Amino acid sequence: LKGISLLSLEFGTLSEENLALKNALVNAQRSIHMLQLRLNIDPSLTDSEVPQNAEKMCQTEDAEQPALNLELGASGQIRAQDEENNNIRKRYDQETAAALQKNMYQLIEAKIELKKLAADIRDVAHKELRCIRKSFETKVSCYVGSLVQRYLREVDARKRLHNKLVELSGNIRVFCRIRPAASESSEKLCVHIDPFDNSLITVDMANGERKKFNCDRAFSEKHTQADVNLLFC
């Protein structure tokens, strides 16, 4: 039993040594791999060609590994945040573009409606202006016609009074007839009859003056001798 116990203790010691050697070998391989990645060392080189400060660099690499992991994690979070911000900005831009497009369509429809309204207003305005113009012309024509009729009535009344005055003073009347111009002559008429009062004549003098004369009745160059005789018959 004593021998078995000693043998068991020796085997236990060997097992612990093997485990320690195995862990050391794994750590060494990991350190060499990290050095190869860090220093870009060719894997075909021997152990004697590895720098003497490899162990120190492995320790430094092991110390820097948590910080590197933290940096990678932070950079990943930053990238995720940037992607989220980009997605939010993209959605906002899409919503803004959709709203602007909707507003543009509304403005186009409003523009079309305004054009139609302007055309309708123009047509109505032209129609109203035509009606107003026609009504104004009718009123002016009626007013001018009434003024002419009143003037003619006043002329007739004045003639009647004048005739009575002439009869009382001796029954003398003065008539004037404008001689028609000769057919081959190009001279202009120098005597003109008032279109509203056939008893008023205007004579253009040789010196450029114009004189007016009153008579009982003036006949233009278009009247014939028969028209003159008809007045006295």
Side-chain angles (χ1 to χ4, degrees):
L1 292 173
K2 184 177 180 180
I4 293 172
S5 299
L6 292 173
L7 185 60
S8 298
L9 290 173
E10 290 178 358
F11 276 114
T13 303
L14 290 174
S15 298
E16 292 177 358
E17 291 178 355
N18 290 332
L19 183 60
L21 290 173
K22 184 176 180 181
N23 291 332
L25 180 61
V26 171
N27 292 330
Q29 289 178 353
R30 184 168 59 83
S31 299
I32 292 171
H33 181 66
M34 294 299 294
L35 283 173
Q36 289 175 355
L37 294 176
R38 187 69 178 271
L39 301 176
N40 196 14
I41 298 175
D42 190 357
S44 63
L45 297 177
T46 60
D47 295 339
S48 60
E49 295 175 349
V50 178
Q52 295 180 359
N53 58 350
E55 184 177 357
K56 184 177 180 180
M57 294 181 67
C58 288
Q59 293 176 358
T60 305
E61 187 69 26
D62 293 337
E64 292 177 354
Q65 186 66 28
L68 181 61
N69 293 332
L70 291 175
E71 291 179 358
L72 291 175
S75 62
Q77 292 179 357
I78 292 172
R79 284 196 299 272
Q81 187 68 27
D82 291 339
E83 290 179 358
E84 185 178 358
N85 292 334
N86 291 331
N87 292 330
I88 293 173
R89 190 180 297 107
K90 186 176 181 180
R91 287 195 300 271
Y92 176 76
D93 293 340
Q94 290 176 354
E95 292 175 357
T96 304
L100 290 175
Q101 188 174 8
K102 183 178 180 181
N103 292 333
M104 183 182 69
Y105 290 149
Q106 292 177 354
L107 289 174
I108 292 173
E109 292 177 356
K111 181 180 179 181
I112 295 172
E113 292 179 357
L114 286 175
K115 285 185 176 180
K116 291 181 180 179
L117 182 61
D120 295 339
I121 291 174
R122 184 171 58 252
D123 295 339
V124 172
H126 288 170
K127 186 181 294 184
E128 291 295 330
L129 286 175
R130 285 194 296 269
C131 293
I132 292 172
R133 181 178 179 180
K134 186 176 180 180
S135 176
F136 181 75
E137 289 177 353
T138 303
K139 290 181 179 180
V140 170
S141 178
C142 294
Y143 183 71
V144 172
S146 64
L147 289 178
V148 171
Q149 291 178 359
R150 290 175 61 184
Y151 177 75
L152 293 177
R153 286 197 298 268
E154 293 295 330
V155 170
D156 292 337
R158 187 178 65 82
K159 285 183 178 180
R160 287 195 299 270
L161 294 175
H162 180 70
N163 291 335
K164 290 182 179 180
L165 179 61
V166 169
E167 289 177 358
L168 293 175
S169 61
N171 202 12
I172 299 174
R173 297 184 180 182
V174 178
F175 295 90
C176 178
R177 181 186 176 191
I178 300 175
R179 178 180 62 82
S183 58
E184 65 275 2
S185 177
S186 60
E187 61 180 0
K188 296 182 179 180
L189 294 175
C190 60
V191 181
H192 307 282
I193 301 175
D194 193 309
F196 298 103
D197 188 1
N198 53 15
S199 63
L200 179 64
I201 60 176
T202 303
V203 180
D204 296 332
M205 308 302 291
N207 57 2
E209 295 182 0
R210 303 189 73 180
K211 291 186 177 182
K212 294 183 179 181
F213 299 93
N214 288 321
C215 62
D216 292 307
R217 174 67 187 273
F219 296 92
S220 66
E221 70 277 5
K222 296 180 181 179
H223 289 88
T224 62
Q225 188 64 35
D227 296 331
V228 176
N229 295 331
L230 184 62
L231 181 64
F232 299 100
C233 295

